[in-house]
Amino acid sequence: MNAAPHPSPALPSRRSLLGGLLAGAAALAATPALATPAHASARRAPTATRPLLLGTYTSAEGGGTGIGTATYDTATGAITPGPVISGVENPSYLALHPSGATVYAVAEQEAGAVTAVALAPDGTYDVLGARPTGGSGPTHLSVHPSGRWLLSANYTSGSVAVHPIAADGSLGERTDLVTHSSPPPGPGQNGPHAHQIVTAPDGGHVLAVDLGTDTVYTYRLDESAGTLTEVSRAALAPGSGPRHLTFHPGGRSAYLACELDNTTVVCAYDPESGTLTPGPGQSTGSDTGYPAQLVVTGDGSYAYLANRGPNSLTRYAVEDGGAALRLLDTVPAGGDWPRQLALSPDSSLLFAANQRSSTVTAFRIGSDGALTPAGDPLPAPVAVCVLPLP
């Protein structure tokens, strides 16, 4: 579940990132990537350091003071802490603009908001300001592939919002807000709880996962007006509590982490209609726990699930062109309450943000998808999100 810290969004500010952290990231981003298999650790790009951004709760006890920064060694996975991007409240989830020039953060609090932060090549950042989401407790946001729209999910109030993105990366006033008023809340729920909103690989549909109504809603986004029109719904098992949806790169399958009944669900997806068809729930590799999120390697060969409670990471083999997951094993997450996972751009490393131990752990991904701890855990105050930059 999610805390909903308090204060209002901060005013814009400008700071310098020590050591040229983001300048180095910009230089690396300009370097063409090697065409290596996404899971083949034996054929990684030459050793380099790349940046990470870290999400936290600024109003929680022991929380951070803004968006954390760090760098990681692409060969060893060792993480080195950096300075903090201040002036951003409760940035519990982060998303990067396709240009790489702007990062967006939710402000997970009663007066929900989304904040834009420009990342300059000269190693500075500029907090471009915040816009209200029209709801409370936003937990997720994503950028539409066009780069023109920011989508956000308000967990506490059960709604999803759309904001326009200007040429400089700043946000305009909200263009739409849709509340999930039906079906009725699932067992034990007091209302809708929108936990995620993401664009399907086809680019034509936007899917919102609601833990409170046990439903995934599919919308079409009007790219001229910035409005959402519902086109279909996928019903999950009552009380399953779907939390996070991840697409297979092939675009015809997706995987759901269901928080409340401790299952993973493989779904068929029709790009033409946007219809999502869930299959039966299957094992997470643990008898107890609260699944948080799945990620899939860039070549679509392996999927990984974060399990809070048992504090483990589950490895699945992806089979049947994405239509099936086969559980292989689980390994310790190396921290307490792994809230979110992220893959490095080449899928050679997996990062876990461990909320209760305030750490980020890294794992090397072998050619067989096996996870091996890489380096020491990074101390990171109330780590709830990790975002590797390209």
Side-chain angles (χ1 to χ4, degrees):
M1 303 298 183
N2 300 283
H6 59 80
S8 58
L11 295 175
S13 63
R14 188 172 181 86
R15 299 289 187 273
S16 176
L17 284 179
L18 301 178
L21 177 69
L22 295 178
L28 286 164
T31 303
L34 298 183
T36 58
H39 65 275
S41 60
R43 298 177 58 193
R44 291 191 187 92
T47 300
T49 57
R50 293 180 181 269
L52 295 173
L53 298 180
L54 308 171
T56 185
Y57 289 117
T58 58
S59 61
E61 182 178 356
T65 57
I67 298 173
T69 72
T71 57
Y72 70 94
D73 186 295
T74 58
T76 67
I79 309 174
T80 303
V84 173
I85 298 175
S86 59
V88 185
E89 295 290 338
N90 294 308
S92 66
Y93 202 89
L94 309 171
L96 189 66
H97 191 275
S99 69
T102 312
V103 67
Y104 300 93
V106 298
E108 190 179 340
Q109 53 201 27
E110 183 61 30
V114 283
T115 304
V117 181
L119 308 175
D122 64 359
T124 61
Y125 69 87
D126 192 2
V127 180
L128 301 176
R131 298 284 186 178
T133 60
S136 58
T139 58
H140 188 268
L141 79 175
S142 60
V143 182
H144 187 266
S146 67
R148 297 180 55 238
W149 304 101
L150 184 71
L151 312 167
S152 57
N154 295 305
Y155 176 84
T156 307
S157 54
S159 59
V160 293
V162 183
H163 287 82
I165 299 175
D168 66 353
S170 63
L171 297 170
E173 291 291 346
R174 188 178 64 249
T175 54
D176 204 2
L177 179 69
V178 179
T179 300
H180 297 156
S181 55
S182 65
Q189 298 298 312
N190 58 4
H193 294 304
H195 214 307
Q196 182 199 26
I197 184 166
V198 64
T199 305
D202 59 78
H205 298 94
V206 171
L207 286 83
V209 180
D210 196 297
L211 185 150
T213 63
D214 298 318
T215 301
V216 179
Y217 303 80
T218 298
Y219 299 97
R220 284 196 181 276
L221 173 68
D222 184 324
E223 293 189 44
S224 297
T227 53
L228 297 170
T229 301
E230 184 180 328
V231 296
S232 67
R233 296 180 184 182
L236 278 298
S240 59
R243 174 187 175 93
H244 194 281
L245 180 80
T246 302
F247 277 94
H248 183 269
R252 292 188 172 274
S253 300
Y255 315 117
L256 266 171
C258 291
E259 175 174 336
L260 299 183
D261 70 355
N262 187 33
T263 61
T264 295
V265 175
V266 178
C267 307
Y269 176 72
D270 179 4
E272 296 300 319
S273 65
T275 302
L276 190 76
T277 305
Q282 59 188 76
S283 174
T284 62
S286 173
D287 292 335
T288 60
Y290 301 92
Q293 180 192 12
L294 285 143
V295 293
V296 184
T297 54
D299 66 353
S301 295
Y302 296 96
Y304 303 93
L305 172 69
N307 297 302
R308 296 164 299 167
N311 294 332
S312 63
L313 305 178
T314 303
R315 176 175 60 126
Y316 296 96
V318 178
E319 299 179 334
D320 234 3
L325 294 179
R326 178 167 55 89
L327 195 153
L328 296 176
D329 59 17
T330 63
V331 299
D336 188 359
W337 212 250
R339 168 75 173 265
Q340 185 256 354
L341 299 178
L343 291 163
S344 61
D346 65 355
S347 290
S348 67
L349 293 165
L350 175 73
F351 300 95
N354 303 298
Q355 182 175 359
R356 293 182 179 174
S357 59
S358 290
T359 56
V360 173
T361 45
F363 298 82
R364 286 187 293 272
I365 299 177
S367 58
D368 60 354
L371 298 176
T372 304
D376 296 325
L378 172 74
V382 190
V384 290
C385 183
V386 54
L387 176 64
L389 298 186

